[in-house]
Amino acid sequence: MTTEVLGVSLQYSHSIGRGEFAGPGFRNPVALARGAEGLMYVLNRAYEYRPDGKRVTICTVDEEYIGEFARGVNTAGITDIVTEDGSLIWPTSVALDKEGNVYVADEWLNRISIFSKDGEWIGKWGTEGSGDGEISKPSGMVFDADDNLIMVDSQNNRIQKFTKDGKFISVFGSQGSGDGEFNLPWGIDLDKEGNIYVADWRNDRIQKFTKDGKFLVAFGTSGSEPGELNRPTGVAVDRTGMIYVADWGNERMQMYDPAGKFVTLTTGDGTMSKWGKDKLDGNAEMWELREIAQGLEREKDFWGPVAVTVDDEDRVFVVESCRNRIQVYRRQEPMFQGGGRL
Amino acid sequence: MASADIELMAHLMRRAGFGATYEELEQFAANGYDATVDELLSPMEQPDLEVDLLERYFIDWKEMNALEVNQAYLTYRMINTKRPLQEKMTLFWHGIFCVGNSKCEHGAQIQTQLNMFREKGMGSFPELLLALSVDPAMVFYLDNCMSHKDAINENFGRELLELFAMGVGMDGEANYSEEDVKECARAFTGWTIANAIPRYPYGRFPSMFAFNAADHDYGEKTFQGETGNFNGDDIIEIIVKQPSAARFIARHLYNFFVADEPQIPAWQGTPPRDIDAIKEMEDAYFESGYNLTAMLRVMFKSDWFKAARFEKVKSPAETVAGTMRLVQDFTSPKPGLHPIAMEIRYMGQDLMNPPTVEGWHTGQEWIDSGTLVERINFTADQMGNTDLPGVQAIIARLSSENISDPATLVGRCLDMLGCYSLPDETRAYLVEHIGKSGDLNPGTEVYGAQVAQTLQLIVATQEYQFA
């Protein structure tokens, strides 16, 4: 269901994914980074009982499977959890630097793991703590125009900027609910001017800052009415400054204008993905079960829309942690009858 | 030595909850026994767990995809709930109204059922039975979706009478006839579930109850001596009026909360261990209009409850959750919960996957040579871990009390774990053993190890297996 309030709207494109612990598909995906030439890096958190599902899946927007890398740590023993380089326990986010290297944050290990664009482990950094440059439960990450990494340091309720090899540059924010304060923030993105947008998760709002961390504006209040938020997890800003928010607790994605005014929302339009069709073709009885299933329209709905990303082509990607799926939308400008753009 | 008030409070919290630390027991004792019972009976006045936070870190708990994920969540709840009696009653109903993951369309559906028990498990018995009858996990588990007006399936109808609300018999008499079973099953025809969406490619969807009027037998039925065109809800109304329904709940509550008794298949011929206690709860049932909290209040405030110390073998869930509460681990989300939850399975209670519709065999049947070893190994491992906050708190407290003789140390460690008592011979052995470990010098690292070792020895005793 897509509600159009102003001229700009969202056009559903297609769905990507299916539930898998390995290979083509995802398992509790929590983040997505867009690479060059249609590449996507999808971070799968999976769960403790099945650490094999924790990984980064490389695929394309057209649902071509490329490969996967990084593996979950087996925490099935009560003690002696072994964390080898490149392994994951509670991965939260993924970001790409200008060279296309892949940075993965782990909020249990307080570790940033670095991989080449093909998934080869090339480094790590991160020290637990609350001092400058120390981190506690890193969540969202994004690279700025200078190729520095801006990170949501969630448990410390602040935003830190690092060089890509982990040298501390700057910090802003503290615990609270006032302007510039945070309560367990999660997702982050930048607009083309470098302004910083943070999903201030437990304050049910989005905050916008200058690139230097000066507070500009906050929008969103607790609730489930259009424009209101319930534990927003992800935020993304497109080339025109439109803002997309993964409204996790309300199971929807909302769109706001550059001033933070509500524009439209969607609760999902999911359809059969290419990988999904392949799976059903291999389990033909499932096609038959779908024929008689009741309430199949529920398959459209978001479940656990945890992250949102936009690319340079105005495509919007919504990651659903519980449906193991990514729904792709496209921002649509209003058209005049003559065919001109607004 | 702990005061009598604290000993009584330890007893109450073990039964009405999953135990408590000594500091918590002191606080409850200061509030008074009756006030504490009233608080336990009003769970909604206490805060729930912060579900948003749990689903952020245990991101799979929003989906509840696998049995093991559900078990980890339930374990976390038992360890951390501020509404212990609500969680205990959830476990109580789960052991009676059994559904199992081995025959389940969708694992999360059992969690949905447990949430229903949390909401209704301390309220009106007819409302609970009605909710159970439309619960998708139950409709599927007992094949009511396969019961048609032209071809009834008796499974649900039979178990509703035999295992969920009346029992086979009481005082030597049968509670219902085979004809009642058939009529009951006829009344529940058409109570079904919608066809499920297949699990591939995007996972399961919540099951939906559906009433299929075209498949319901609207004909006349005679049930428990009453005749009419009964539907399922009419049957429930008739059931809850019966003395057998009151007896059924009272005996289950007694067996679960007061003292181990023979289990339900024996109830027709085996009188209750304490018929006066049962009758007090039966009276509360009828006087309150079938209210479960009214029965619980009578029970917890009675002398027979207060006197029934260590009359029950702890279930595996009580053993694990109770021990974790004492050592104060997993009080916030962190990795490593799955193996803790699995301990309950290894001790013989695969939560949300009971062996049969009769549930688990309780009491002494929890214990065999294998499960006893599991219990002792697990509890001793936890108590011996001086990194855990609860163990550290006990060490700090006994250090501050400057306890330096072995006999007093053993006594205070028994108190700290919930005012346990040991036979003289066992106690003397522990005192002797600790005495041989060297001088007790409070505040030293060695002292911490000596305290932890004492705790380990206590949890390895037969007495710690009782609640």
Side-chain angles (χ1 to χ4, degrees), chain B residues 157-211:
Chain B
R158 179 178 302 280
E159 303 308 1
L160 181 63
L161 307 187
E162 181 179 334
L163 294 174
F164 299 164
M166 296 170 83
V168 175
M170 60 188 268
D171 303 334
E173 302 287 330
N175 286 332
Y176 57 86
S177 66
E178 277 301 300
E179 203 52 36
D180 282 330
V181 170
K182 288 193 178 66
E183 299 291 85
C184 178
R186 284 179 63 209
F188 280 100
T189 49
W191 293 46
T192 188
I193 47 174
N195 294 335
I197 300 172
R199 64 184 289 204
Y200 297 146
Y202 298 133
R204 302 285 195 188
F205 290 77
S207 307
M208 300 184 295
F209 175 81
F211 177 68

Side-chain angles (χ1 to χ4, degrees), chain B residues 211-371:
Chain B
F211 177 68
N212 182 359
D215 202 18
H216 176 68
D217 180 345
Y218 284 94
E220 188 177 87
K221 302 153 191 104
T222 298
F223 178 74
Q224 291 279 298
E226 297 188 37
T227 300
N229 296 83
F230 299 139
N231 205 327
D233 41 3
D234 302 312
I235 294 290
I236 288 170
E237 269 186 43
I238 295 169
I239 288 173
V240 299
K241 292 189 293 192
Q242 309 303 317
S244 58
R247 176 64 57 94
F248 175 87
I249 306 167
R251 287 197 78 162
H252 265 304
L253 287 174
Y254 190 94
N255 181 51
F256 190 83
F257 286 104
V258 184
D260 286 332
E261 278 238 60
Q263 290 193 257
I264 184 167
W267 287 358
Q268 181 171 356
T270 311
R273 178 170 163 160
D274 182 349
I275 186 65
D276 293 337
I278 297 297
K279 284 195 181 302
E280 281 180 49
M281 285 192 277
E282 289 175 358
D283 289 347
Y285 173 79
F286 287 114
E287 284 163 13
S288 66
Y290 322 128
N291 183 276
L292 297 157
T293 289
M295 300 177 82
L296 289 166
R297 180 172 281 111
V298 162
M299 179 179 72
F300 286 126
K301 293 193 174 178
S302 71
D303 290 339
W304 39 266
F305 171 78
K306 293 176 188 173
R309 310 285 171 91
F310 305 109
E311 297 269 359
K312 286 187 56 58
V313 176
K314 285 178 196 164
S315 67
E318 289 172 309
T319 302
V320 171
T323 300
M324 298 313 291
R325 277 189 171 241
L326 286 173
V327 301
Q328 294 282 293
D329 199 11
F330 290 93
T331 54
S332 60
K334 65 172 188 173
L337 183 60
H338 167 65
I340 302 290
M342 285 303 96
E343 288 292 332
I344 300 175
R345 174 188 288 180
Y346 303 150
M347 292 178 199
Q349 191 175 21
D350 198 16
L351 288 170
M352 291 179 267
N353 203 24
T356 71
V357 68
E358 264 186 55
W360 292 278
H361 290 189
T362 60
Q364 304 239 351
E365 292 195 51
W366 286 125
I367 305 285
D368 62 32
S369 53
T371 60

